[in-house]
Amino acid sequence: SKHDEKQAIPSRARATWPSDDNLSSRLASLPQATANVWESSMQAVEPSGARWLLLASALRFSAGFAILVWLPSAIRASFPEDVEQFALVNSLIKGVAGSLSSISGGVAADALRSKGFGDRSAAWFCAASSLAAAPLWYFTLAEGLSFQVCMALLCAEYLVAESWLGPAISALQGSVPSDRRGTAQGVFSSLTALGNALPVGLGLLTPSDLTSGLQISVAACYLLSGLCFLLASSHLQQEVPHPEDASQ
C-alpha cells in the first residue's frame, strides 16, 4: 500500500546513512587525509624548477584576474564617453587576440620541443612574453592617450601576454617526475584561487587610485613573473633527450 511505501522510504534512508560512530571516525580522519594531500602535492613540486614555474604562474594569474575584474572600472574613469564601445572592443580583443595568442603559444612550445629544445626554451618563451607584456600594459593606462590608442595597446598586450599558458604547462610537466604530473597539474590549477588576492587588494583602493594601482601592480606582476620564469629555466633541461639517452 501507499502507506507502507512511505514508511519504507525513511527506513531505506536510515539504512544507508552512516552511523554516528562511523561518521565521527571519518571526520576524525580528515586532518590526516588533508595532511597526506598536502605532502603529496609538495612532493610533486619538489624540484626547484617546478616551484619557480608555479610562483611565476601565480603572478601571471594575479595579473590576468586583476585586468579581468578592474579594467572596465579603469576605462570608465578614463573614457566615460566610450564605455559602450569598450564593452564591444574588449570582448573582441579577449575573444580574438587572447585566443590567437594562447593557441600560438602552445604551437610555439610544441615547435621548440620538436626541434630538440628542452623545457628551458619553454620557460624562456614565458619569460619573454611576461617581460614584453609589462611595458605594453603600463602604457595602456598611461595618461593623455586617446581611446583608440589605448585599445590598440591593449590588443597588443593581449597578443603578447596570453601566449604563456601552453609553454608554462609544458615546462611544468617536464620539470616533475612522470608519476607526479597529475598532482603537479592540480597544484597549478589551484593557483587560480591564489590569483584572486590581487583583485581583492585593488578593491581596497579609493576610486581615484584604482587606475594607477592597477597599472603598476599588473606591470610589476609581469616583471616578477618574467624573472621567476628565467630562474626556473636554470633548473630545466636545455635539450630534449634522445631516445637512446633516455633508455640509459
Side-chain angles (χ1 to χ4, degrees), residues 20-205:
D20 292 341
D21 292 339
N22 193 13
L23 182 59
S24 297
S25 64
R26 292 183 182 181
L27 291 174
S29 66
L30 280 178
Q32 182 59 42
T34 303
N36 291 339
V37 171
W38 175 261
E39 182 180 358
S40 178
S41 300
M42 291 301 98
Q43 290 176 352
V45 297
E46 186 176 2
S48 298
R51 296 193 175 188
W52 282 117
L53 286 170
L54 290 172
L55 179 56
S57 300
L59 291 166
R60 287 305 308 262
F61 283 133
S62 297
F65 290 158
I67 294 173
L68 181 66
V69 173
W70 292 114
L71 180 59
S73 298
I75 295 298
R76 186 181 300 111
S78 301
F79 306 101
E81 298 179 356
D82 298 299
V83 172
E84 293 184 0
Q85 187 177 356
F86 168 74
L88 175 61
V89 174
N90 188 45
S91 297
L92 290 174
I93 289 175
K94 289 191 293 185
V96 178
S99 298
L100 180 62
S101 178
S102 182
I103 294 172
S104 299
V107 171
D110 290 341
L112 289 170
R113 193 166 187 83
S114 68
K115 294 183 180 297
F117 295 100
D119 299 315
R120 184 176 297 180
S121 64
W124 284 342
F125 184 96
C126 294
S129 169
S130 299
L131 295 175
L136 287 172
W137 168 256
Y138 187 85
F139 288 115
T140 296
L141 295 182
E143 296 182 0
L145 298 180
S146 66
F147 176 75
Q148 290 74 16
V149 172
C150 175
M151 292 299 98
L153 286 170
L154 181 64
C155 182
E157 188 270 340
Y158 263 86
L159 286 171
V160 171
E162 297 304 310
S163 60
W164 76 279
L165 189 59
I169 293 176
S170 175
L172 179 64
Q173 295 292 300
S175 68
V176 298
S178 58
D179 61 339
R180 299 285 185 177
R181 288 174 180 171
T183 304
Q185 182 63 42
V187 175
F188 178 87
S189 299
S190 70
L191 294 177
T192 56
L194 185 61
N196 286 297
L198 180 57
V200 171
L202 289 171
L204 301 176
L205 298 177

